[in-house]
Amino acid sequence: MDGFDRLPDSLILLIFNSVSDIKTLIRCRSVSKRFNSLVPQADSLLLRVDCVISPESDSDSVLLTFLKTIFKSLHDLLLSPKPAHPIRSKSQSQNSPAQILSQFDRIRRLEVELPAGDLRLEKGAVVKWKAEFGRTLKSCVIVGLRTVRVCGSGYSVPNEGDTEFAVGLKTRVVWTISTLIAASARHFLLKEVVKGHREMERVTLKDREGEGTVVMEKEGLRECREEECEGAGEVREDELGWERSRTVVPCVRMRMRHEPRLQLKCGVWVEGATLVVVRPIAMKDGGGSHCDVEVDGDAELALVAFGDDKDGIYGEVVRALLSSRSYLLEMNSF
């Protein structure tokens, strides 16, 4: 007997969960009958995609077209070995993430990594965001920067205050709307995956550039499954095509903080530093009667999203902006 065969199944599954990469795990199924039977039991998976789409794709449905294309590159891996389960529905695409993941029976944690971000910003602008979803949007934290300059002689820092905020408000609102559209499109694409794996406890969809992250925790996943059971997510025939490619964003309240120039501890000036915390407006809200509680909640969301930033820049920007004056804006559902 080979020494490897003496390892217990639990230890092999621990190794598979550490590997996590779906392409590698699918190839492992062809190693032996034992591997073929154990791979579907892996519960921590990473679906990393590396294809791109043509720039001529319609911008309104770019994410939907994008994933149809990138998952096609994984199709050959599904043909050998034969999937453990047949296609569950004639309407379910062979190239869809749900079909790729149908080979796995006990997914608890899933991470999907896209090769690039979704936002198309002006030169020099950088936007990072993190959104949490359930049935719909729960929260979204957005950090935007225009440029980063090294401190040096001849670089002055004018005090523009509220005037600069008013001038750049349109740009920051565009950043926020673009982010919410991108986040809701990613959430829409996860719904089919969530429906097929009831043991799932956490799903993360992010891009390799680190632009944006969509997270669905255990409670949010439960809400999403309940929506499917109730049929609340059915799309009307009269809806426009672009609306069918993303989840509808509810009425939201945006608390925005901004500094025209911000000096960081590492010796650089950040221009146009912006922090936006977006949360849906509950039906029972009374127009800001819980302002202090809301501000504290926004700070907690922002610190959870970016407080542990590894390179320190975005985390430091967030912490600095939390002490700045905030502006409250509201937006209707779209």
Side-chain angles (χ1 to χ4, degrees):
M1 178 182 291
D2 188 284
F4 196 80
D5 291 334
R6 298 177 183 175
L7 295 178
D9 290 351
S10 58
L11 182 55
I12 295 179
L13 284 173
L14 183 62
I15 295 173
F16 285 160
N17 287 330
S18 297
V19 172
S20 73
D21 180 64
I22 286 181
K23 289 184 180 181
T24 303
L25 291 176
I26 290 177
R27 292 189 179 103
C28 286
R29 297 193 65 179
S30 61
V31 172
S32 66
K33 291 182 179 179
R34 188 185 185 198
F35 276 24
N36 187 52
S37 65
L38 289 177
V39 164
Q41 300 179 41
D43 61 18
S44 182
L45 301 177
L46 167 63
L47 181 55
R48 182 182 290 114
V49 293
D50 49 19
C51 295
V52 295
I53 60 170
S54 168
E56 290 79 19
S57 299
D58 177 46
S59 60
D60 288 330
S61 59
V62 64
L63 282 177
L64 188 60
T65 306
F66 177 66
L67 282 191
K68 286 181 179 179
T69 303
I70 56 184
F71 283 116
K72 186 175 181 181
S73 67
L74 298 176
H75 181 50
D76 291 341
L77 293 175
L78 297 176
L79 297 180
S80 179
K82 185 178 179 180
H85 301 288
I87 298 177
R88 299 174 181 176
S89 170
K90 291 183 179 180
S91 63
Q92 190 179 51
S93 170
Q94 289 180 321
N95 301 323
S96 71
Q99 176 60 21
I100 293 172
L101 295 169
S102 67
Q103 298 189 64
F104 299 89
D105 305 322
R106 304 177 182 178
I107 303 176
R108 293 187 178 276
R109 294 168 297 277
L110 173 65
E111 181 177 320
V112 182
E113 184 182 272
L114 306 179
D118 311 309
L119 305 184
R120 299 170 183 174
L121 306 172
E122 64 270 26
K123 185 177 181 181
V126 179
V127 173
K128 305 284 186 180
W129 55 271
K130 181 177 181 180
E132 183 177 353
F133 279 83
R135 180 188 299 245
T136 184
L137 179 70
K138 286 180 173 290
S139 67
C140 184
V141 180
I142 306 164
V143 179
L145 312 173
R146 276 202 173 277
T147 55
V148 178
R149 298 174 183 264
V150 178
C151 296
S153 58
Y155 183 67
S156 61
V157 184
N159 184 14
E160 299 176 3
D162 292 343
T163 301
E164 201 279 338
F165 178 86
V167 172
L169 179 60
K170 180 179 178 181
T171 298
R172 288 184 283 277
V173 171
V174 169
W175 286 356
T176 302
I177 294 175
S178 299
T179 295
L180 293 176
I181 290 175
S184 61
R186 293 188 183 188
H187 175 253
F188 181 85
L189 293 167
L190 288 175
K191 285 186 174 181
E192 187 69 21
V193 174
V194 170
K195 182 174 63 175
H197 299 275
R198 305 195 67 83
E199 295 184 356
M200 200 174 289
E201 298 177 351
R202 179 182 172 86
V203 181
T204 304
L205 178 56
K206 62 181 183 179
D207 57 272
R208 205 164 300 165
E209 296 175 349
E211 176 186 276
T213 303
V214 168
V215 177
M216 297 181 70
E217 301 286 358
K218 191 172 184 178
E219 180 63 22
L221 292 168
R222 183 188 62 78
E223 291 178 6
C224 196
R225 295 189 192 101
E226 288 179 353
E227 179 189 44
E228 294 291 341
C229 295
E230 297 168 0
E234 293 181 2
V235 180
R236 300 190 310 272
E237 291 295 330
D238 60 343
E239 284 185 333
L240 298 175
W242 66 270
E243 291 178 321
R244 291 196 287 265
S245 65
R246 66 177 181 85
T247 301
V248 174
V249 177
C251 297
V252 295
R253 180 172 293 151
M254 306 179 295
R255 189 169 293 279
M256 184 179 296
R257 295 172 172 84
H258 171 72
E259 289 290 345
R261 307 287 192 286
L262 188 64
Q263 185 176 14
L264 305 182
K265 296 177 181 178
C266 55
V268 300
W269 286 100
V270 174
E271 298 183 356
T274 303
L275 171 65
V276 186
V277 179
V278 183
R279 294 199 289 183
I281 301 174
M283 297 299 293
K284 62 182 179 181
D285 278 0
S289 59
H290 304 288
C291 184
D292 293 338
V293 176
E294 187 178 84
V295 170
D296 292 340
D298 291 346
E300 182 180 355
L301 287 172
L303 291 174
V304 168
F306 292 100
D308 295 329
D309 180 45
K310 292 182 179 179
D311 60 22
I313 293 179
Y314 297 100
E316 186 177 348
V317 168
V318 166
R319 288 188 289 272
L321 288 174
L322 284 174
S323 60
S324 301
R325 177 182 177 182
S326 66
Y327 301 81
L328 190 63
L329 301 89
E330 293 187 0
M331 184 182 299
N332 293 330
S333 175
F334 63 94

